[in-house]
């Protein structure tokens, strides 16, 4: 379908579902409304990542993906910085008057306020031009009712290992994001307000530097359109992550913990652009949206379930002291980073043995 319209519809849908969250009269309604926000969010990236290879040549694709991926990093940092301030403002009074709506309970007000920027952004997405699809030589050879299944049968090993490698790096990132505030509160006695401001700023710096750094280096190694070189870059980032991320909980001050955590977060986001760009280069045009959706689904499910949960399990059952949550983070980061190194190494090998390079070169010539 028209990817510009799909992306705009996704932004508009999650923006409208925000005030529906604010109208919730019970847990069930809030749960369903929050699912609606997630559905809208999940719509945007498959459309966007399908658009980018048609808007930019391979030599500029990695950088374009990096700029887009920076949006998530900005959102995480700004959420820590302004989310706490917004919540504090909203709970400073029992009710807040809103235009056209009237008096609402203070905790509901942020949901309605966030509708406005969302609708503006949805309108801006409509200004993006829908480019012609670059039909690849491989796509022209594909036929049958289920081309996605055919592609997965041929290249599922390489794709699955790429998914797994990024999912395991996401384990490290989610362990940092979820448990660092708890570590600072339990071990160093920090307040939530102080944590939000300092952690938000450091995550902004580390995340933007990591994402754009990965995009810049990725652009320099993929001038010939070979996804295998991008996977090697992901592997290198996993090795650095293994050296850095487990050190954060061992620091003796809260500031030192935050600095090393932010550095680990930056390294953990470094592989985002190379991995997503490799996926676009190895996937035929007509399958990119679905493959990107699978990539985001698998990597986020791995990261958001294994990362936070493994830290909690290790803290409660292995270390058995709440203030030792940092050691749970340390072990989780080590497992995730080491696993990503193995997955990316096997992915590179599968690409080489499966002829993925020849396919990428064929795609480039055809376009």
């Amino acid at each position: 379908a028209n990817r510009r319209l799909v992306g705009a519809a996704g932004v508009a849908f999650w923006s409208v579902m925000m005030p529906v969250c604010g109208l919730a009269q019970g847990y069930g309604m809030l749960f369903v409304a929050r699912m609606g926000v997630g559905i809208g969010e999940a719509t945007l990236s498959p459309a966007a990542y399908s658009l980018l290879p048609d808007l930019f040549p391979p030599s500029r694709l990695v950088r374009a993906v990096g700029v887009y991926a920076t949006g998530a990093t900005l959102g995480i940092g700004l959420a820590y910085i302004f989310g706490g301030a917004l919540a504090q403002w909203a709970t400073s009074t029992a009710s807040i008057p809103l235009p056209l709506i009237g008096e609402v309970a203070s905790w509901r007000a942020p949901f309605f306020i966030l509708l406005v920027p969302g609708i503006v952004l949805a309108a801006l997405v409509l200004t993006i031009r829908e480019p012609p699809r670059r039909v690849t030589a491989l796509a022209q050879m594909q036929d049958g009712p289920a081309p996605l299944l055919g592609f997965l049968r041929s290249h599922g090993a390489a794709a699955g290992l790429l998914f797994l490698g990024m999912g395991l790096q996401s384990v490290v990132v989610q362990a940092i994001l979820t448990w660092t505030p708890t570590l600072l509160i339990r071990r160093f006695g920090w307040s939530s307000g102080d944590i939000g401001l300092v952690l938000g700023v450091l995550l902004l710096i580390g995340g933007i530097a990591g994402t754009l750094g990965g995009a810049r280096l990725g652009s320099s190694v993929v001038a010939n359109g070979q996804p295998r070189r991008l996977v090697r870059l992901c592997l290198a980032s996993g090795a650095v992550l293994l050296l850095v991320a487990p050190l954060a909980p061992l620091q003796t001050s809260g500031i030192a913990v935050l600095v090393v955590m932010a550095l680990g977060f930056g390294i953990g986001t470094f592989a985002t652009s190379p991995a997503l760009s490799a996926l676009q280069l190895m996937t035929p045009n007509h399958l990119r949206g679905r493959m990107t959706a699978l990539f985001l689904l698998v990597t986020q499910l791995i990261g958001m379930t294994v990362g936070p949960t493994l830290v909690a399990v290790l803290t409660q059952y292995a270390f058995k002291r709440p203030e030792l949550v940092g050691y749970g983070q340390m072990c989780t980061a080590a497992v995730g980073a080491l696993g990503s190194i193995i997955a990316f190494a096997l992915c590179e090998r599968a690409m080489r043995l499966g002829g993925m390079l020849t396919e990428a070169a064929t795609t480039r010539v055809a376009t």
Side-chain angles (χ1 to χ4, degrees):
N2 185 299
R3 295 160 291 182
R4 175 180 63 100
L5 296 179
V6 172
V11 177
F13 187 78
W14 93 55
S15 301
V16 170
M17 294 305 294
M18 290 295 293
V20 176
C21 291
L23 293 171
Q25 298 301 310
Y27 178 80
M29 183 177 177
L30 181 60
F31 183 89
V32 172
R34 182 60 185 86
M35 285 182 62
V37 176
I39 290 170
E41 291 174 342
T43 303
L44 176 62
S45 284
Y49 286 120
S50 177
L51 269 172
L52 291 175
D54 291 334
L55 290 170
F56 299 94
S59 59
R60 297 176 59 198
L61 175 63
V62 185
R63 189 167 299 180
V65 169
V67 171
Y68 176 80
T70 303
T73 303
L74 285 170
I76 291 170
L78 293 174
Y80 274 104
I81 295 171
F82 295 108
L86 184 61
Q88 186 174 357
W89 166 78
T91 55
S92 62
T93 181
S95 62
I96 296 175
L98 295 177
L100 304 178
I101 299 174
E103 292 278 340
V104 298
S106 59
W107 70 269
R108 299 178 186 270
F111 290 104
F112 293 97
I113 294 171
L114 291 171
L115 168 67
V116 178
I119 296 300
V120 172
L121 288 172
L124 287 174
V125 172
L126 291 175
T127 66
I128 301 171
R129 68 180 180 88
E130 174 73 16
R133 292 180 182 267
R134 299 181 181 184
V135 180
T136 66
L138 178 64
Q140 293 172 346
M141 292 186 291
Q142 292 276 6
D143 54 14
L148 177 61
L149 295 179
F151 178 77
L152 290 175
R153 279 195 295 268
S154 301
H155 303 297
L161 289 166
L162 183 66
F163 292 5
L164 180 60
M166 280 305 297
L168 290 169
Q169 287 207 1
S170 180
V171 167
V172 182
V173 170
Q174 292 300 326
I176 292 173
L177 294 177
T178 306
W179 287 103
T180 297
T182 303
L183 170 65
L184 295 172
I185 292 171
R186 292 180 181 178
R187 184 176 171 191
F188 299 103
W190 282 39
S191 69
S192 299
D194 293 336
I195 293 172
L197 178 60
V198 179
L199 182 58
V201 170
L202 289 175
L203 290 179
L204 275 177
I205 296 171
I208 292 174
T211 305
L212 295 183
R216 184 175 182 83
L217 282 179
S219 296
S220 67
V221 303
V222 78
N224 58 358
Q226 293 187 358
R228 180 176 156 196
R229 294 187 175 185
L230 293 171
V231 175
R232 290 177 180 173
L233 202 57
C234 296
L235 192 157
S237 74
V240 178
L241 188 63
L242 179 61
L243 296 175
V244 173
L247 299 178
L250 302 179
Q251 305 306 305
T252 57
S253 71
I255 289 293
V257 168
L258 283 174
V259 170
V260 180
M261 286 287 190
L263 182 59
F265 178 71
I267 299 169
T269 58
F270 178 92
T272 302
S273 300
L276 281 164
S277 299
L279 180 67
Q280 308 312 312
L281 290 173
M282 65 187 271
T283 305
N285 179 289
H286 65 301
L287 300 179
R288 284 176 183 151
R290 281 170 284 176
M291 286 296 291
T292 301
L294 282 174
F295 176 91
L296 297 173
L297 176 66
V298 172
T299 56
Q300 291 184 23
L301 280 177
I302 294 173
M304 292 182 178
T305 55
V306 176
T309 306
L310 185 56
V311 174
V313 169
L314 289 172
T315 302
Q316 182 169 348
Y317 295 106
F319 302 109
K320 300 182 178 180
R321 290 170 57 188
E323 66 273 18
L324 296 182
V325 63
Y327 290 98
Q329 284 182 295
M330 178 180 66
C331 295
T332 300
V335 170
L338 180 60
S340 75
I341 294 172
I342 297 172
F344 286 132
L346 293 175
C347 177
E348 194 270 347
R349 181 176 182 273
M351 282 186 170
R352 175 164 44 85
L353 297 178
M356 192 67 75
L357 300 183
T358 303
E359 178 180 297
T362 302
T363 298
R364 191 179 70 257
V365 172
T367 57

